[in-house]
């Protein structure tokens, strides 16, 4: 036989008064137990009434073929027409059909996820969406509107958070469309500290309410009783109705927090649904406010200071430290380690019955994981009931009374949270500050160190763990997952239904298949996908596995998310770099092939001997073997009108296709001007003008050149130079470099002066014209190269008896970094009349 919940449990201590000698810890524990038992009874009543309503709705859905919302409206209409409560109408409906025990909805089974008209369609157009939570949740009980509200309130940081949670939880069956939370200030006015479902302009208009008559929220606070406004026409004559127009919300309720005189806050529920609040809805709204009473009475951000308590100890000026609580909090914010400021709560007889946390350092973390300012406003015995009667409690009282600082030895503390015992080891220091206590502690758990290491690993690896308990539909994220999804921790973990809104559309089908495989079949997944965040697109990876029950139904999912954006960006950059290198390599290879073909076309014979104007001419041309570096060295030996000959050797600066193009311009222009009879200095001047005119073109460059015109009748060679190396004359046993006429390289100045020189060649003479590749070595003086060339040429002719001097000289320089071009003009006894050019 169950005991009456309204009677005290004989196993618990009775409501002992302070003068009866009961310990403060026992009294605190008794208050906690009584409050929790009352809440359990209330929640059981809500659950039982909700179950009856759901069964009645299920009967109407089956009979009339209507959706759940329409069935609920039909029940309300029938109840109003017959002047019954909603609960009475539900029982009558079930009694008429006789299906209360047989209905599938009465058994608490959730509806099929494919039955509702609002079921989200899958990506391929067949079957239910893989991102619907309901199809994966095991169990038989349909959740009530208050399911999960208590857990969600634990994470609420502002009154605005609480308002949004209430509106979300009560928007269905209760029909709540807007929530407003007012807090009573020390001056007795109301401040709007949280709202949901109303626009900013309306919130600003009603943000401050002075203590005037005709305000429903103020009346509810003053009387400590809920106020139900269900007739707009009548209510408008008695109260100032919020809204523009006021008929926007035909029914509204104001519930004080707590429901007693001198309440500290009021919660307003506004509905667009007309008609009175039925018994079940009134009970649901009152219980939801009761669940929020603790957070609303605590010092949430944006909440004005409380009014003084009845004992006067919370009033302004009663304690010199009271005015400095904010200062203490700022000091805590700058200090490392955990610390809290405790305010003693006194009974009417002057005994300490509890302590309340008024300030907390950011690194303060309790066994339940509450951190920093989440602890502010909590009482010690209600939050940590096992402290009552312990050595730590005695230390609090002793330090408060004597001012003696207390330093404890390490001790074990165990707290049972959600049925799971958690044990930690602490060292505590307690000091008095005015009429309060400053408590700091050190946690010695190895688990704490491991948690820090895990947090560091997640941060450095840019990954975070996630857990989803499908039996309670509870999702837990580590801190790093919020950073990965760019999500405010105040919003809580993302639900499965929210995920598609953040995915890149192209990844939706693949991730949907992975979700079905994980939650529907219990198979582990390792899937890449992309999400959109404020700064662009992120590449993520999910690795997860599911734990199943004996029937193979997934009951828990755990795994991790990893941000691969930086890695993916590096891969893309590497790919683009490789592609650019390949394109550049192809362009260079094509350029080299084109330059080589052009060079071969212009200089088709690398070695040859020809007879020209009675002279024997040996030619040697060896390009540098240095990859794509094709040079601009060139030569020309052609016959002129009248049986004369033209000899030219040039060197264009650079190694590229542009150098070859410039070489072609100079070669053909020089030949054309010489054939028409232009003087050699004029030819160089015109070529210099040509290079200056093409400055900025792809072919613009500097060049050196030596050019000679040979007259056969008297063997006279007239020659000019433009910055080129001097020709070498080998006559008898001597090798000398000819004195050079004036002339700078082409393209260096606008109006250069070019001189000319004349030499008469004798039978047996060899005159060498060459480019710098024949004599220059890196780091070596050019004079050394000249001496080496002269000595080598004499040795080859006089000692080795070489007949073709040019190829022999070029062959002696196998390791060269520049092109080599050599013309050997030899005066023999005979003559010939052929040419190349």
């Amino acid at each position: 036989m169950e005991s009456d919940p309204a009677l005290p449990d004989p196993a618990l201590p009775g409501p002992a008064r302070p003068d009866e000698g009961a310990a403060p810890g026992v009294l605190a524990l008794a208050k906690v137990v009584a409050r929790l038992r009352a809440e359990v009874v209330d929640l059981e009543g809500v659950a039982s009434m909700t179950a009856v309503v759901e069964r009645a709705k299920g009967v109407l859905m089956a009979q009339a073929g209507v959706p759940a919302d329409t069935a609920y409206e039909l029940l309300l209409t029938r109840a109003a027409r017959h002047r019954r409560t909603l609960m009475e109408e539900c029982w009558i409906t079930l009694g008429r059909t006789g299906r209360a025990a047989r209905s599938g909805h009465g058994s608490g089974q959730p509806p099929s996820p494919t039955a509702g008209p609002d079921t989200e369609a899958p990506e391929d157009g067949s079957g239910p969406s893989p991102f619907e939570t309901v199809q994966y949740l095991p169990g038989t009980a349909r959740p009530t509107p208050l399911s999960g509200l208590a857990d969600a309130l634990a994470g609420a940081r502002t009154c605005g958070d609480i308002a949004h949670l209430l509106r979300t939880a009560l928007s269905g069956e209760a029909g709540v469309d807007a929530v407003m939370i007012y807090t009573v200030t020390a001056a007795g006015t109301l401040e709007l500290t949280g709202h949901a479902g109303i626009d900013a302009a309306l919130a600003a208009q009603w943000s401050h309410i002075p203590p005037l008559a005709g305000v429903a929220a103020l009346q509810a606070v003053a009387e400590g009783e809920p106020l139900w406004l269900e007739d707009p026409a009548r209510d408008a004559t008695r109260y100032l109705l919020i809204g523009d127009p006021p008929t926007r919300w035909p029914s509204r309720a104001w519930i004080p927090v707590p429901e007693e005189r001198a309440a500290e806050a009021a919660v307003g529920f506004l509905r667009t649904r007309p008609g009175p609040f039925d018994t079940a809805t009134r009970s649901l709204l009152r219980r939801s406010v009761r669940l929020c009473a603790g957070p609303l009475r605590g010092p949430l951000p944006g909440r004005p200071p409380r009014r003084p308590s009845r004992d006067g100890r919370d009033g302004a000026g009663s304690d010199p430290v009271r005015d400095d609580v904010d200062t203490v909090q700022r000091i805590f914010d700058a200090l490392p380690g955990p610390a809290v400021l405790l305010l003693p709560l006194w009974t009417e007889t002057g005994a300490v019955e509890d302590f309340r946390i008024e300030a907390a350092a950011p690194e303060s973390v309790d066994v339940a994981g509450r951190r920093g300012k989440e602890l502010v406003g909590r009482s010690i015995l209600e939050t940590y009931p096992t402290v009552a009667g312990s050595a730590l409690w005695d230390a609090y009282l002793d330090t408060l009374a004597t001012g003696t600082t207390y330093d404890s030895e390490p001790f074990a503390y165990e707290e049972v949270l959600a049925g799971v015992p958690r044990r930690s080891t602490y060292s505590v220091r307690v000091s008095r500050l005015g009429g309060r206590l400053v408590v700091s502690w050190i946690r010695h758990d190895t688990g704490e160190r491991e948690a820090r290491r895990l947090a560091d690993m997640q941060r450095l690896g840019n990954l975070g763990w996630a857990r989803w308990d499908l039996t309670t539909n509870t999702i837990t994220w580590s801190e790093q997952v919020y950073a990965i999804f760019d999500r405010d921790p105040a919003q809580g973990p993302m639900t499965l239904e929210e995920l598609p809104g953040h995915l890149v559309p192209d990844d939706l089908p693949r991730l949907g298949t992975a979700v079905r495989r994980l939650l529907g079949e219990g198979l582990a997944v390792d899937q890449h996908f992309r999400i959109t965040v404020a700064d662009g697109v992120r590449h993520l990876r999910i690795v997860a596995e599911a734990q199943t029950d004996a029937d193979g139904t997934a009951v828990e999912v755990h795994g991790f998310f990893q941000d691969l954006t930086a890695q993916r960006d590096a891969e893309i950059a590497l790919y683009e770099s490789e592609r650019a290198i390949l394109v550049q390599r192809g362009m260079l290879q094509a350029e080299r092939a084109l330059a080589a073909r052009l060079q071969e076309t212009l200089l088709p014979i690398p070695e040859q001997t020809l007879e020209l104007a009675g002279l024997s001419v040996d030619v040697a041309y060896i390009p540098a073997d240095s990859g794509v570096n094709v040079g601009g060295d060139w030569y020309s030996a052609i016959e002129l009108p009248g049986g004369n000959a033209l000899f030219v050797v040039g060197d264009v600066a650079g190694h590229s296709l542009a150098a070859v193009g410039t070489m072609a311009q100079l070669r053909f222009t020089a030949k054309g001007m010489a054939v028409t009879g232009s003087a050699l200095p004029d030819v160089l001047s015109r070529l210099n003008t040509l290079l200056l005119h093409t400055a900025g073109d792809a072919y613009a460059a500097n060049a050196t050149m030596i050019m000679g015109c040979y007259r056969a009748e008297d063997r006279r060679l007239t020659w000019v130079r433009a910055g080129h190396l001097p020709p070498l004359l080998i006559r008898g046993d001597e090798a000398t470099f000819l004195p050079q006429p004036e002339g700078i390289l082409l393209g260096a100045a606008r109006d250069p002066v070019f001189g000319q020189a004349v030499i008469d060649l004798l039978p047996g003479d060899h005159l060498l014209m060459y480019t710098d590749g024949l004599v220059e070595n890196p780091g070596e003086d050019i004079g050394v190269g000249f001496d080496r060339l002269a000595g080598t040429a004499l040795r080859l002719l006089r000692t080795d008896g070489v007949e073709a001097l040019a190829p022999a000289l070029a062959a002696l320089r196998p390791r060269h970094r520049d092109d080599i071009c050599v013309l050997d003009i030899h005066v023999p006894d005979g003559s010939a009349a052929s040419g190349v050019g």
Side-chain angles (χ1 to χ4, degrees):
M1 177 177 178
E2 296 183 358
S3 60
D4 187 344
L7 299 177
D9 192 329
L12 296 174
R17 296 183 300 274
D19 55 2
E20 294 176 344
V26 176
L27 293 176
L29 287 175
K31 291 180 179 179
V32 172
V33 172
R35 177 176 56 82
L36 293 178
R37 290 182 62 182
E39 291 181 0
V40 169
V41 171
D42 290 341
L43 291 176
E44 287 176 348
V46 171
S48 62
M49 288 187 294
T50 303
V52 174
V53 174
E54 291 304 317
R55 289 198 295 269
K57 284 169 55 179
V59 169
L60 290 182
M61 290 169 64
Q63 290 177 341
V66 296
D69 291 343
T70 305
Y72 182 74
E73 294 294 339
L74 187 57
L75 287 173
L76 289 178
T77 303
R78 289 180 179 179
R81 184 169 62 248
H82 298 289
R83 299 183 180 274
R84 303 187 187 114
T85 65
L86 176 62
M87 189 59 57
E88 291 172 342
E89 187 63 36
C90 290
W91 281 116
I92 291 173
T93 300
L94 293 174
R96 286 175 178 172
T97 61
R99 298 181 59 186
R102 300 190 301 272
S103 171
H105 291 275
S107 63
Q109 293 291 343
S112 170
T114 62
D118 300 327
T119 301
E120 181 184 354
E123 296 75 26
D124 59 1
S126 62
S129 167
F131 298 100
E132 270 193 84
T133 297
V134 66
Q135 60 187 309
Y136 304 113
L137 299 180
T140 58
R142 175 171 175 172
T144 66
L146 298 184
S147 298
L149 179 60
D151 292 337
L153 286 172
R157 289 171 170 76
T158 65
C159 291
D161 293 343
I162 296 176
H164 282 283
L165 290 172
L166 286 173
R167 180 172 180 253
T168 301
L170 301 172
S171 61
E173 294 184 6
V176 173
D177 299 290
V179 176
M180 302 180 72
I181 299 178
Y182 280 100
T183 302
V184 183
T185 67
T189 61
L190 294 183
E191 295 290 339
L192 182 63
T193 53
H195 62 84
I198 66 172
D199 54 61
L202 188 62
Q205 179 184 356
W206 291 88
S207 61
H208 176 80
I209 300 178
L212 301 175
V215 178
L218 278 172
Q219 181 176 327
V221 168
E223 297 178 356
E225 294 290 340
L227 190 60
W228 312 95
L229 306 183
E230 300 161 325
D231 186 343
R234 185 186 61 184
D235 296 333
T237 63
R238 302 172 57 191
Y239 303 105
L240 296 174
L241 298 182
I242 296 174
D244 187 16
T247 55
R248 174 182 176 184
W249 293 296
S251 59
R252 57 191 78 195
W254 291 97
I255 302 177
V257 183
E259 290 188 21
E260 58 185 18
R261 288 190 175 274
E264 298 174 356
V267 180
F269 299 98
L270 293 78
R271 305 193 308 175
T272 56
R273 178 189 302 175
F277 294 87
D278 56 61
T279 304
T281 302
R282 291 191 178 195
S283 177
L284 181 62
L285 296 182
R286 296 176 71 170
R287 282 159 179 76
S288 65
V289 172
R290 187 174 300 173
L291 283 176
C292 302
L296 287 176
R297 297 176 68 184
L300 291 168
R303 187 187 194 281
R306 293 189 192 177
R307 296 185 301 179
S309 63
R310 286 188 294 259
D311 61 7
R313 294 188 180 271
D314 287 339
S318 62
D319 189 335
V321 182
R322 176 62 185 177
D323 297 332
D324 296 331
V325 170
D326 292 340
T327 302
V328 174
Q329 181 62 63
R330 287 195 294 270
I331 294 174
F332 279 177
D333 290 341
L335 291 178
V340 295
L341 179 69
L342 301 184
L343 171 70
L345 303 179
W346 305 85
T347 65
E348 295 179 357
T349 60
V352 176
E353 64 174 359
D354 204 346
F355 290 88
R356 185 175 65 230
I357 301 175
E358 290 206 317
E363 295 185 16
S364 303
V365 183
D366 65 5
V367 178
R370 292 177 286 254
R371 180 181 298 272
K373 293 184 179 180
E374 294 179 342
L375 302 172
V376 175
R378 297 182 177 274
S379 68
I380 294 297
L381 293 183
E382 287 192 11
T383 309
Y384 317 106
T386 57
V387 171
S390 66
L392 181 60
W393 178 261
D394 295 338
Y396 286 170
L397 299 180
D398 182 68
T399 300
L400 184 64
T402 65
T404 304
T405 300
Y406 170 77
D407 288 295
S408 75
E409 296 294 331
F411 66 94
Y413 176 77
E414 182 175 289
E415 192 72 62
V416 178
L417 300 171
V420 179
R422 298 187 182 181
R423 185 180 182 90
S424 299
T425 302
Y426 294 92
S427 295
V428 177
R429 179 182 179 87
V430 185
S431 304
R432 189 172 70 181
L433 178 64
R436 289 162 172 77
L437 298 178
V438 176
V439 180
S440 59
W441 64 90
I442 299 175
R443 190 171 182 175
H444 301 286
D445 298 6
T446 57
E448 182 72 12
R449 293 194 298 271
E450 294 300 327
R452 288 197 297 269
R453 292 172 185 170
L454 178 60
D456 291 340
M457 181 185 69
Q458 294 181 77
R459 176 176 51 82
L460 295 174
N462 209 1
L463 56 86
W465 59 264
R467 177 180 175 272
W468 182 14
D469 187 343
L470 278 73
T471 59
T472 61
N473 196 19
T474 302
I475 301 174
T476 307
W477 278 4
S478 67
E479 293 182 2
Q480 192 63 28
V481 179
Y482 289 100
I484 290 173
F485 279 86
D486 193 22
R487 186 177 177 88
D488 186 355
Q491 295 181 267
M494 188 182 300
T495 64
L496 188 61
E497 287 83 358
E498 293 180 77
L499 189 56
H502 298 269
L503 286 174
V504 173
D506 291 345
D507 294 347
L508 200 58
R510 287 187 288 113
L511 188 61
T513 301
V515 170
R516 282 196 183 98
R517 194 165 59 244
L518 175 66
L519 299 175
E521 304 173 25
L523 300 178
V525 298
D526 185 346
Q527 182 69 42
H528 292 253
F529 63 97
R530 293 166 296 172
I531 62 171
T532 56
V533 293
D535 58 356
V537 175
R538 290 186 180 176
H539 297 260
L540 305 187
R541 175 193 182 196
I542 179 176
V543 178
E545 62 181 4
Q547 291 183 350
T548 59
D549 57 16
D551 298 327
T553 303
V555 294
E556 181 179 316
V557 175
H558 55 265
F560 68 85
F561 292 98
Q562 185 176 16
D563 188 352
L564 303 176
T565 305
Q567 176 182 333
R568 181 60 178 165
D569 290 346
E571 291 175 354
I572 294 175
L574 179 60
Y575 172 76
E576 294 294 337
S577 177
E578 290 177 348
R579 187 171 66 174
I581 291 173
L582 291 175
V583 171
Q584 183 68 15
R585 179 184 299 174
M587 293 176 62
L588 292 175
Q589 289 176 345
E591 180 180 328
R592 182 177 184 274
L594 179 60
R597 289 292 300 274
L598 180 57
Q599 200 170 44
E600 291 171 0
T601 303
L602 296 174
L603 304 173
I605 304 176
E607 291 185 16
Q608 63 178 330
T609 300
L610 53 108
E611 301 296 330
L612 186 63
L615 300 174
S616 178
V617 182
D618 290 332
V619 180
Y621 176 78
I622 303 176
D625 185 14
S626 54
V628 298
N629 293 326
V630 179
D633 289 17
W634 58 282
Y635 67 89
S636 208
I638 63 171
E639 185 178 2
L640 295 177
N644 299 324
L646 177 69
F647 303 102
V648 186
V649 173
D651 185 0
V652 178
H655 295 76
S656 65
L657 183 61
V660 176
T662 303
M663 177 263 287
Q665 274 191 322
L666 295 178
R667 184 169 183 266
F668 291 112
T669 304
K671 288 168 59 177
M673 294 180 67
V675 169
T676 59
S678 298
L680 297 184
D682 291 341
V683 173
L684 292 183
S685 296
R686 301 283 180 87
L687 294 177
N688 182 75
T689 303
L690 175 64
L691 289 185
L692 292 176
H693 178 71
T694 57
D697 292 3
Y699 299 114
N702 295 324
T704 66
M705 182 187 296
I706 185 169
M707 180 167 51
C709 184
Y710 178 75
R711 193 167 59 196
E713 62 184 17
D714 54 4
R715 297 192 184 96
R716 173 164 288 185
L717 180 71
T718 302
W719 64 285
V720 294
R721 61 177 285 273
H724 204 81
L725 300 177
L728 176 64
L729 176 64
I730 303 172
R731 178 172 290 172
D733 294 330
E734 292 184 1
T736 58
F737 292 94
L738 298 182
Q740 303 184 76
E742 184 178 3
I744 64 174
L745 58 83
L746 300 176
R750 292 195 173 275
D751 298 308
V753 176
F754 296 103
Q756 70 178 17
V758 178
I759 182 173
D760 293 330
L761 299 178
L762 302 177
D765 285 351
H766 287 266
L767 185 66
L768 295 179
M769 295 181 179
Y770 53 91
T771 57
D772 54 5
L774 188 64
V775 295
E776 288 184 347
N777 280 331
E780 181 182 78
D781 185 77
I782 189 64
V784 177
F786 286 154
D787 293 341
R788 180 173 56 248
L789 174 61
T792 302
L794 279 174
R795 177 177 57 80
L796 291 173
L797 288 174
R798 304 296 179 239
T799 304
D800 297 345
V802 172
E803 295 182 359
L805 181 59
L809 288 172
L812 291 177
R813 303 229 353 127
R815 300 182 63 185
H816 54 277
R817 298 188 179 184
D818 202 354
D819 296 351
I820 296 175
C821 184
V822 186
L823 256 69
D824 174 22
I825 304 171
H826 175 50
V827 184
D829 292 336
S831 63
S834 64
V836 65

